[in-house]
C-alpha cells in the first residue's frame, strides 16, 4: 500500500468516526473520540470526579487502554467485583453497583446509526443504564 492509499484510508476512517459520533449525539449520547490509549485515559479522567463511586463491567478494553488503572488509582471509590472472595461478596458488589455514580464498560459494537449493540451473560452493561446511575461510559476499541 502506498502513502496516498494510507492517507485516503485514514481520511475515510475519520469521516466514518465523525458520522458515528454525530449519530450517537442525535440519539442523546455524548460521544468522545480517543485515537490513543493515553487519550482514552485523559477523557475518562476528565469525566470522573474525585470521590465518585464507580464500577465497571468485565471490559478488556478498559484494561488494555489503561482506564482500569485510573479507576484503581485511589481518587475514586471503585466497586471492583474482581476483589470479591466469595459468591456472597460478589453478589453484594453487584447490588452496590446500582448506587454507583458512574459505570464504565465496553460495548460490542456501535452502528452507523448511533446505536450500541451489547451481548451480556450477566447483564452488567444493561444494568448500567439503571436510572440511579448518573451516567455510563461505553468504550469501543478499534481493531
Amino acid at each position: 500500500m502506498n502513502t496516498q492509499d494510507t492517507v485516503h484510508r485514514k481520511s475515510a476512517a475519520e469521516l466514518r468516526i465523525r458520522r458515528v459520533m454525530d449519530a450517537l449525539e442525535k440519539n442523546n449520547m455524548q460521544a468522545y473520540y480517543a485515537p490513543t490509549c493515553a487519550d482514552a485515559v485523559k477523557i475518562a479522567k476528565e469525566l470522573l470526579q474525585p470521590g465518585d463511586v464507580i464500577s465497571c463491567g468485565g471490559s478488556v478494553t478498559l484494561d488494555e487502554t489503561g482506564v482500569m488503572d485510573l479507576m484503581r488509582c485511589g481518587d475514586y471509590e471503585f466497586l471492583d467485583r474482581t476483589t470479591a472472595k466469595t459468591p456472597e461478596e460478589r453478589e453484594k458488589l453487584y447490588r452496590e453497583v446500582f448506587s454507583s455514580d458512574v459505570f464504565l464498560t465496553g460495548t460490542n459494537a456501535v452502528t452507523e446509526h448511533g446505536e450500541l449493540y451489547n451481548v451480556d451473560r450477566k447483564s452488567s452493561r444493561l444494568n448500567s443504564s439503571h436510572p440511579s446511575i448518573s451516567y455510563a461510559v461505553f468504550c469501543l476499541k478499534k481493531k
Side-chain angles (χ1 to χ4, degrees):
M1 185 174 352
N2 64 33
T3 305
Q4 189 175 12
D5 238 6
T6 303
V7 170
H8 176 70
R9 286 174 187 249
K10 184 176 180 184
S11 178
E14 288 172 355
L15 284 171
R16 178 177 273 168
I17 290 166
R18 182 76 258 160
R19 277 196 318 265
V20 170
M21 289 177 69
D22 289 344
L24 286 165
E25 291 183 5
K26 284 179 185 168
N27 289 335
N28 298 314
M29 291 180 260
Q30 217 169 356
Y32 301 89
Y33 174 57
T36 68
C37 293
D39 291 330
V41 172
K42 182 180 176 195
I43 291 168
K45 189 170 186 166
E46 289 170 0
L47 292 170
L48 298 172
Q49 300 298 312
D52 274 350
V53 178
I54 62 174
S55 191
C56 64
S59 173
V60 173
T61 302
L62 292 174
D63 196 36
E64 289 180 350
T65 58
V67 173
M68 190 70 77
D69 292 333
L70 172 68
M71 295 171 70
R72 290 187 173 119
C73 78
D75 291 343
Y76 319 101
E77 185 181 332
F78 180 28
L79 303 176
D80 186 355
R81 66 185 184 172
T82 66
T83 62
K85 294 175 178 54
T86 66
E88 292 80 19
E89 285 181 26
R90 185 172 291 113
E91 181 66 29
K92 183 176 183 268
L93 275 170
Y94 273 120
R95 292 183 189 282
E96 288 176 353
V97 165
F98 283 109
S99 64
S100 64
D101 298 312
V102 181
F103 186 87
L104 293 95
T105 188
T107 190
N108 297 114
V110 179
T111 72
E112 289 191 14
H113 299 288
E115 300 161 332
L116 302 179
Y117 179 80
N118 294 309
V119 178
D120 284 303
R121 186 171 57 107
K122 295 215 175 215
S123 300
S124 60
R125 283 182 282 211
L126 177 62
N127 289 337
S128 70
S129 61
H130 191 275
S132 69
I133 295 177
S134 300
Y135 60 94
V137 178
F138 289 83
C139 303
L140 181 68
K141 181 173 61 176
K142 185 169 67 172
K143 299 240 178 194

